[in-house]
Amino acid sequence: MPFQWLVKAPRTCEYTKFVDVDYRQLIAKKCEMVFTTRQLYDVLGHVETPTAAEAVHLRSDKYLAVGCDLQDIDKLDELLKREFNLSNCQVLCIAEVSLTYMDVKAADALISWAAHLGDAHFCLLEQHLPEGGEHPFARTMMQHFNKLRTPLRSVRQYPQLQDQERRFLNREWASVVARSLWDLWSDDNFVPMEQRVALNAVEPFDEWEEFALFASHYFLLVASNSPKLPKVAAGTDYTGAPISLPNRLCIGSNKDPSTTFTLRYCNLSKQQAKRRFGALYPAHLGVLHHHGGLGTQTRLNSTDVYFHGDATPIPGGLSLPPSAIGARMCHTVTSIDETSSLLVGGRVSPDRALSDCWIVRSGSWEKVEDLPLGLYRHSATKVELTDRQQGVLVYGGKTSGGVIVNLWLLWRDSTGWVEVSQSSNTSLRPRFGAAMTSVGAKQGILLGGMAEDGTIIAEMWQWLIEDKVSQVTISLQNRTFDLGDPYGLGIVICRFGACFCWTSIGLLLVGGLSAHVLLPREFDILGLAICQSQTQGPDALQLRPFKVNYETEGPRFLFAGHATYSDLSNVAIVGGGAVCFSFGTHWNEGIWTLRWGNDKANQTWQPLGASTKIVTTEDEKSYMHGNKTSADQQSNSSAVPRICVKTKKDFAKILSKSQPVIMESLEIGRCTQTWTLDYLKTKVGGDRPVVVHEATEDHMNFITKNFKYVTKSFGDFVEEVGKGSKQYLRSLAANKPAETPANIYVDFPELSPDFCLPPQLESVARKAHSLPLRISGRVVMWLHYDVMANMLCQIHGAKRFILYPPRDVVHLGFPPGSSSSSINVFEADKDMQSSLVHTHPQEATLQPGDVLFIPSLWLHTASPVEDVSIAVNVFFRNLDSGYAAGRDVYGNRDLQAYEKGRKEVERMGKAFEGLPAEVGTFYLARLAEELKSKAQSFGSLA
């Protein structure tokens, strides 16, 4: 910070000197960096380097580096008085997330000492617990620092903003103001609207829940002891934050006080994926589907199934969304009637909105007309139109590039999408993430949402549709002031990312974020009674909130990224969670049922258990009763598609998509008819020596090396493998095998006339790295990945492959720096199956003549279907640059950037040697999170 000020605002710093106080070892590191970085050193002007024994490590005209334990106040006081005449100085103390690590008594003593520095000011940035330590974000944050052995000490004694203010007032500071960063974000005096918009324009941003949760748990406190300020008596009930919820916010109880609410929790089965920003919709009476969303590693196109406790999944007639509906999040699925629902839009990355729309009717999915532009974070609700037609009304949201749209669209089965023009002159600010619902026929309400500058809009609008033959119009009326608004009520009701649920007791507002403050638990679920306005006529709607005081079980739910569904008698709440800054990710792992009245356990929503199997082939998607999915048949797997490649252009499209495919009917030569073991022995010669993998177990493990490399004659190998021996041959170069990649045309010239690459794969032949011959018996090839792309040409026998996309590497036991895993996914144990649930396997069974394209870095393993398999691999360079420098005989060295990066990781680890363990752990953990963030940003561009 000092160097930024000295460079960016030198005039402001003309009479300023920065004093940096930290542990001696850390100050020494900082000074070393200053001395070795010309840009930093030149800013300081005249520089003195005191002797090693002094606490001052660096002294310059503008900067003083002091190595001193802040708990040693006497020494610190002596040092500063030696350097400055404090009575003639204005002192600003800045503590950025530092005091909280200190012993609380020592930190309080430091605050008291600073209060007596004359014209002193104190700026403190730290964590606090606005909703206590059991809030999911707070719990994740506290666990993170405890794990690093750097616990946050102050938050236990001073958890609330008022506690922190009294902390300073009780230590003789004249004035104190503490505000959360989320409150400050919305204050134009602190962050002007133009600056908020400019920040959002740097890149498309859509992590507002995470930002709000982080900012709500950090505060900025400014204390002052300027002689011009009057003293405030210690213990005064003083709150400097201009925006807060009153302690006695007047919200009535439910109109029927005898109604009791319960929020019941049911944990997920292993078949359910963690997801947030998915869509929940009714698939059938008593059955819900939770589709899409963001999973633990990437966006999902899978669907979880839930059923009512007293309902039974029925066989046949129910279809999961097909794989053609690509992975997405922030989309909507709106129930139109008992048998139909409409899926609308969503996004891949914040920069890539989706426009495709799909309808499901009685379990059958079909694509309908696209939106005129891609949308995500839009509002959608069912509407009843003239002649009892049903439609879906969509408003607002974001499109590609993160641009907010101010557009009303109506979908009807008879017309598709039509733009709805606004008939009134009332100006409606563009917004996204607003809650919207119908209230009777043709009318409804729009509540809250977020504006372009990232602030929540505290507005309620009433809309009315007129669907004339020639045109559909909508009129809007601002009912914000008809909320019956005592101070703070608009903050509680007008939210971002909330869900509306109609129930037998009225309208419920579930979850979401509020402006300025973190919603208290008592307002997470709020009842809204809709009545006629007392001031604006009989057609005007007014909201009267009432509390939903529910009893709950299980962990506290984080109402962010969740999905809801109501069948009038109960509300299902599922999914959601958030990345809690660099502290970790919190997931809501169960499904919750909000009930009232006669509460019975069997009336809750439950995940479809392991006793029920979901069949999701393209020809048949239905519920069937069956046994638990076997270990070698992952329930979440899909088939590698089979296609015909007729031209080079067809293959170029395959390369651009970088997805596995099986290419059929390619002409790869007469080898598919002639290559038997006897034929190969005759052509190659029985006496030719070869090196083979000789295994004692069915699964070869490259990590543990449960096989031997054995040199034997080709004739003996052929004879033994033909009798079922567990052996495997991957041919080596005939000349200089340690230096030269294998090439079947050079190494086995007697076989070369039998095998060829077809013209469609001309680019593969041109960029080929190696072409090894493979002959395997009854052994499973270990799970691994290849850095180069791969064409596997199956010539004799059949073989089964399981492939995983590169993002699944974190779930499959790959040691650092290794391209192989010890896991046998064909025979995974129970512990491994729980990890496999989060993967995205694709399966392929190859027959003679099939050519499997395995993209670079796709993890794959193979198991024999017959006694002997013969194939030829063609590894080729699919990247223009980036491969490891030097020799790479097998084509399996990781990219140069990764090899270099691993050395950098080792170097970073050594750089922290000699520091206290908690310091090294703290900073290495932060660096790890930065790397993880970089990886996620690469994924969002994919």
Side-chain angles (χ1 to χ4, degrees), residues 488-633:
L489 186 57
I491 296 175
V492 170
I493 292 180
C494 298
R495 309 180 182 185
F496 167 72
C499 304
F500 273 136
C501 292
W502 281 102
T503 71
S504 59
I505 59 169
L507 184 63
L508 298 184
L509 185 64
V510 181
L513 302 174
S514 62
H516 300 287
V517 297
L518 187 67
L519 272 176
R521 180 189 174 281
E522 62 180 311
F523 299 140
D524 277 340
I525 302 176
L526 192 65
L528 298 173
I530 298 179
C531 52
Q532 292 181 344
S533 171
Q534 301 298 313
T535 60
Q536 299 191 31
D539 295 329
L541 299 179
Q542 185 176 15
L543 296 181
R544 293 297 183 190
F546 61 88
K547 289 183 179 179
V548 179
N549 295 319
Y550 54 86
E551 298 177 358
T552 187
E553 56 186 34
R556 180 169 174 179
F557 195 88
L558 180 58
F559 286 94
H562 59 291
T564 61
Y565 173 76
S566 172
D567 63 1
L568 297 183
S569 63
N570 60 67
V571 177
I573 309 171
V574 69
V579 175
C580 301
F581 190 46
S582 61
F583 313 134
T585 301
H586 174 84
W587 294 94
N588 297 322
E589 296 189 19
I591 183 166
W592 301 70
T593 306
L594 180 69
R595 289 195 54 78
W596 47 93
N598 184 19
D599 182 36
K600 296 180 180 179
N602 68 342
Q603 292 178 330
T604 59
W605 289 98
Q606 302 175 28
L608 196 64
S611 62
T612 305
K613 183 179 177 182
I614 304 173
V615 179
T616 58
T617 62
E618 289 299 320
D619 297 327
E620 180 184 9
K621 295 184 177 70
S622 60
Y623 298 108
M624 293 185 178
H625 295 286
N627 297 322
K628 185 175 179 180
T629 304
S630 62
D632 69 340
Q633 201 169 22

Side-chain angles (χ1 to χ4, degrees), residues 716-748:
D716 287 345
F717 164 71
V718 166
E719 183 176 350
E720 291 166 6
V721 81
K723 293 179 180 179
S725 177
K726 297 179 177 66
Q727 297 187 49
Y728 162 67
L729 166 68
R730 188 234 190 245
S731 68
L732 304 175
N735 297 312
K736 296 183 179 180
E739 301 177 11
T740 309
N743 186 331
I744 191 173
Y745 295 120
V746 176
D747 306 326
F748 299 94

Side-chain angles (χ1 to χ4, degrees), residues 690-710:
V690 290
V691 179
V692 302
H693 302 65
E694 197 172 79
T696 56
E697 301 176 30
D698 292 337
H699 172 242
M700 291 194 298
N701 189 324
F702 189 78
I703 302 296
T704 63
K705 293 294 194 300
N706 63 347
F707 56 84
K708 296 183 295 183
Y709 295 105
V710 179

Side-chain angles (χ1 to χ4, degrees), residues 645-818:
V645 177
K646 297 181 179 180
T647 65
K648 296 177 183 179
K649 187 177 292 186
D650 290 343
F651 181 66
K653 291 179 181 178
I654 293 172
L655 281 180
S656 66
K657 293 180 179 179
S658 195
Q659 296 288 316
V661 297
I662 300 172
M663 291 171 277
E664 300 178 316
S665 304
L666 286 176
E667 181 52 57
I668 60 174
R670 63 189 183 213
C671 54
T672 54
Q673 286 80 39
T674 60
W675 281 16
T676 64
L677 290 179
D678 289 339
Y679 178 86
L680 295 180
K681 182 178 179 180
T682 300
K683 285 288 186 179
V684 174
D687 296 332
R688 176 169 174 172
V690 290
V691 179
V692 302
H693 302 65
E694 197 172 79
T696 56
E697 301 176 30
D698 292 337
H699 172 242
M700 291 194 298
N701 189 324
F702 189 78
I703 302 296
T704 63
K705 293 294 194 300
N706 63 347
F707 56 84
K708 296 183 295 183
Y709 295 105
V710 179
T711 301
K712 59 178 62 177
S713 70
F714 186 73
D716 287 345
F717 164 71
V718 166
E719 183 176 350
E720 291 166 6
V721 81
K723 293 179 180 179
S725 177
K726 297 179 177 66
Q727 297 187 49
Y728 162 67
L729 166 68
R730 188 234 190 245
S731 68
L732 304 175
N735 297 312
K736 296 183 179 180
E739 301 177 11
T740 309
N743 186 331
I744 191 173
Y745 295 120
V746 176
D747 306 326
F748 299 94
E750 56 279 342
L751 297 179
S752 60
D754 299 338
F755 174 80
C756 65
L757 286 174
Q760 298 95 311
L761 306 185
E762 180 271 336
S763 62
V764 174
R766 179 164 34 87
K767 298 180 179 180
H769 167 271
S770 55
L771 292 88
L773 170 69
R774 295 182 187 267
I775 305 175
S776 61
R778 281 282 182 178
V779 287
V780 174
M781 181 66 179
W782 60 84
L783 180 65
H784 67 285
Y785 65 83
D786 299 302
V787 177
M788 295 187 186
N790 178 9
M791 308 296 294
L792 192 143
C793 308
Q794 188 68 21
I795 294 172
H796 175 84
K799 204 156 196 176
R800 179 184 170 203
F801 284 77
I802 299 181
L803 304 93
Y804 299 87
R807 66 178 181 269
D808 287 349
V809 69
V810 296
H811 300 296
L812 293 168
F814 281 76
S818 175

Side-chain angles (χ1 to χ4, degrees), residues 24-96:
R24 288 184 63 89
Q25 288 176 310
L26 289 179
I27 281 292
K29 288 278 187 182
K30 290 181 183 180
C31 292
E32 181 183 353
M33 182 176 293
V34 170
F35 286 127
T36 57
T37 306
R38 197 72 190 173
Q39 295 95 322
L40 299 177
Y41 186 84
D42 290 345
V43 170
L44 300 180
H46 176 68
V47 176
E48 295 179 18
T49 308
T51 63
E54 289 189 55
V56 176
H57 288 238
L58 185 155
R59 183 183 288 108
S60 74
D61 298 335
K62 295 295 182 183
Y63 178 75
L64 190 70
V66 178
C68 178
D69 189 338
L70 289 174
Q71 297 185 86
D72 191 348
I73 295 176
D74 291 339
K75 182 177 180 180
L76 179 62
D77 188 69
E78 178 187 347
L79 285 168
L80 293 181
K81 287 179 178 178
R82 190 187 307 157
E83 297 287 336
F84 305 100
N85 181 359
L86 294 177
S87 61
N88 293 330
C89 296
Q90 190 175 49
V91 181
L92 173 61
C93 301
I94 300 175
E96 183 179 353

